[in-house]
Amino acid sequence: MAVVAKEIILLKVSGQDKLGVTAGLTSILATYGAIILDIGQADIHDTLSLGILFEIEKGSNSGPVLKDLLFKGYELGIKVKFTPVTIEDYENWVKGQRKQRYIINVLGEELTAVQLSAVTQILSNNKLNIDSIIRLTGRASVVEKEEYPRSCIQLSVTGSLLDKTGMTSSFMDVSRDLNVDISFQEDNMYRRNRRLVCFDMDSTLIQTEVIDELAELAGVGEEVRAITDSAMNGEIDFSESFKKRMALLEGLSEEVLQNVAINLPITKGAHRLMKALKYYGYKTAILSGGFTYFGEYLQKELGIDYVYANQLEIKDGKLTGNYLGEIVDGQKKAEYLKAIAEKEGIHINQTIAVGDGANDLPMLNLAGLGIAFHAKPKVKESASTSISSLGLDGVLYLLGYHDRHIDMMQE
């Protein structure tokens, strides 16, 4: 049986985007029995860039198909170019696609060429090739100022990464120097199937440390703030700091708690994030070294599934300075994350943890994706990913969601 000779051709199309371009070109390829080996399209400001890699029989078909494609391009007012691809080059390219794939997210209120240049230079230095770049946030007006500006692009890259630690360190330097967030993740099955998101409460879901507010009302604000700062920076043991702070709250009226709860400053982007997570079927949890009184208030406000925090002891309408049950410290947070995942039948690599303090590190390191959110320096250095430039809804971009995926269910 005679072997039919084939040739591979890369069709490159550019010009003003309009209806019917892809349909017109592929209908010609269909007429000549072409096999589509790869296809990709991008549209920037109504300017089309389309590539189609196809295989076709040599000889009687190859000449006419190119002629018809050129004529169709002229008819549509677009530029059409052809590049022949050898079998050897094609096979080498296919083998290259089996290399490890990674996802890089670059986030900020706005993204500049300086920031993107720095990120892509690091990728180049590490021999990682960019396969695609997409924007996850909507296009911003250059005339009207946005109340909450945000910008995120996602790069899909491939290659054999030899020095992950060195590259991550370079990303951290750029993030610090150029005020941009850079997330680096392996593009594996778990990244696409996260199912549980666990949040710290104080300075994460809310923009305050509740125990500091209570201390102010109790007249011991300065003493408690100093202990809180030391604990969050990892300078003293959390459990020790918790007991010291609790003792200073002795005698505070229970009525104060309700007033603090209804005035909690919920972090920017939290409502948007929670609505999206609920819509897309995620389980959510508060794992806090704070108090159940406020965690349960937020649970109702934000529709959160689980709350684990410390329980205040109240007698005769006043805080005793003691607590009930075990202290929820860093290790306990990690244990609760694991327990919830097991209860819900979720693999630990499908979990996300978000927090800002040193006592969040155990759960950040345990989760499949740990995100240091507007975190203390020590936490940012230790966590795999951080967000410091956007609100909590920035988490959605790390999951690969586009604004159109988020906003369609907000309406």
Side-chain angles (χ1 to χ4, degrees):
M1 184 176 177
V3 177
V4 178
K6 303 277 189 176
E7 61 180 314
I8 299 173
I9 298 171
L10 174 60
L11 166 64
K12 294 182 284 187
V13 179
S14 61
Q16 184 177 3
D17 193 14
K18 59 188 68 176
L19 289 173
V21 172
T22 304
L25 296 172
T26 54
S27 66
I28 293 173
L29 293 172
T31 300
Y32 289 94
I35 296 174
I36 306 297
L37 299 175
D38 196 19
I39 185 168
Q41 179 175 313
D43 189 348
I44 300 178
H45 194 56
D46 289 332
T47 300
L48 172 71
S49 178
L50 169 66
I52 303 176
L53 189 66
F54 65 93
E55 182 185 50
I56 198 165
E57 290 184 14
K58 267 188 178 180
S60 60
N61 276 347
S62 58
V65 72
L66 301 186
K67 178 181 177 182
D68 288 354
L69 288 169
L70 282 169
F71 183 78
K72 177 57 72 171
Y74 175 80
E75 188 179 84
L76 293 170
I78 55 176
K79 293 181 181 179
V80 175
K81 293 183 178 180
F82 306 102
T83 301
V85 177
T86 67
I87 298 294
E88 182 182 7
D89 285 345
Y90 175 76
E91 290 300 316
N92 288 335
W93 175 74
V94 169
K95 291 175 183 176
Q97 300 305 299
R98 298 171 188 163
K99 293 180 180 178
Q100 181 64 54
R101 186 174 296 275
Y102 304 95
I103 296 295
I104 315 294
N105 290 97
V106 186
L107 307 90
E109 289 191 348
E110 62 179 9
L111 296 181
T112 68
V114 171
Q115 294 165 337
L116 189 56
S117 173
V119 172
T120 53
Q121 187 59 58
I122 291 171
L123 296 175
S124 178
N125 292 344
N126 284 273
K127 311 300 181 186
L128 295 177
N129 185 65
I130 300 172
D131 291 338
S132 70
I133 303 176
I134 59 174
R135 183 181 177 91
L136 297 180
T137 45
R139 274 66 177 179
S141 170
V142 296
V143 177
E144 299 178 6
K145 187 174 181 180
E146 293 186 67
E147 182 180 346
Y148 175 21
R150 53 185 179 268
S151 188
C152 176
I153 61 170
Q154 177 177 290
L155 297 86
S156 178
V157 305
T158 54
S160 299
L161 183 56
L162 301 178
D163 184 12
K164 181 179 178 180
T165 301
M167 189 179 76
T168 302
S169 177
S170 297
F171 281 150
M172 289 182 65
D173 291 341
V174 170
S175 178
R176 180 187 61 250
D177 296 341
L178 300 181
N179 190 31
V180 65
D181 294 320
I182 306 164
S183 166
F184 174 79
Q185 303 177 63
E186 287 189 19
D187 190 11
N188 54 33
M189 57 181 271
Y190 297 116
R191 190 193 77 85
R192 299 167 183 270
N193 292 282
R194 310 286 191 199
R195 304 310 319 146
L196 169 65
V197 191
C198 297
F199 298 89
D200 173 46
M201 181 170 65
D202 297 60
S203 297
T204 299
L205 277 178
I206 55 175
Q207 294 179 304
T208 187
E209 292 286 334
V210 169
I211 198 167
D212 290 351
E213 289 201 24
L214 297 179
E216 285 289 341
L217 296 170
V220 290
E222 189 173 335
E223 298 98 308
V224 167
R225 271 197 309 276
I227 300 171
T228 298
D229 289 343
S230 185
M232 292 301 99
N233 285 313
E235 296 167 359
I236 62 173
D237 175 71
F238 178 82
S239 294
E240 178 189 349
S241 75
F242 180 78
K243 293 174 184 177
K244 287 182 177 180
R245 289 178 291 172
M246 283 298 303
L248 290 168
L249 297 181
E250 182 180 359
L252 186 65
S253 171
E254 183 180 3
E255 294 178 1
V256 171
L257 304 183
Q258 175 65 16
N259 187 54
V260 171
I262 62 177
N263 290 292
L264 288 175
I266 296 176
T267 300
K268 179 171 63 177
H271 282 97
R272 186 173 187 248
L273 169 62
M274 294 305 175
K275 285 181 181 179
L277 293 177
K278 188 179 182 74
Y279 182 86
Y280 289 111
Y282 290 79
K283 291 294 181 179
T284 54
I286 291 175
L287 307 181
S288 174
F291 306 113
T292 54
Y293 189 98
F294 305 100
E296 288 168 359
Y297 176 85
L298 286 174
Q299 181 177 30
K300 295 175 184 177
E301 175 71 17
L302 298 172
I304 291 171
D305 297 297
Y306 296 91
V307 174
Y308 291 99
N310 297 296
Q311 187 172 351
L312 294 163
E313 183 180 64
I314 302 173
K315 289 183 179 179
D316 300 324
K318 294 183 182 297
L319 302 189
T320 66
N322 293 319
Y323 56 92
L324 302 175
E326 294 183 86
I327 295 175
V328 179
D329 58 8
Q331 191 55 46
K332 203 67 182 174
K333 288 186 180 188
E335 290 174 12
Y336 282 134
L337 185 153
K338 185 178 180 181
I340 296 170
E342 289 177 352
K343 178 182 177 181
E344 295 290 345
I346 296 170
H347 193 284
I348 199 67
N349 286 336
Q350 292 178 277
T351 65
I352 299 171
V354 186
D356 74 296
N359 64 318
D360 294 314
L361 282 172
M363 73 171 182
L364 295 183
N365 292 329
L366 174 65
L369 175 62
I371 303 172
F373 181 75
H374 290 260
K376 312 300 184 288
K378 178 181 177 180
V379 182
K380 287 184 69 173
E381 291 172 7
S382 302
S384 60
T385 300
S386 66
I387 296 177
S388 297
S389 60
L390 300 183
L392 266 176
D393 52 341
V395 171
L396 293 168
Y397 303 126
L398 304 190
L399 298 177
Y401 288 104
H402 190 285
D403 272 350
R404 62 175 175 269
H405 301 138
I406 304 167
D407 294 334
M408 72 176 186
M409 54 80 203
Q410 303 280 342
E411 300 172 354

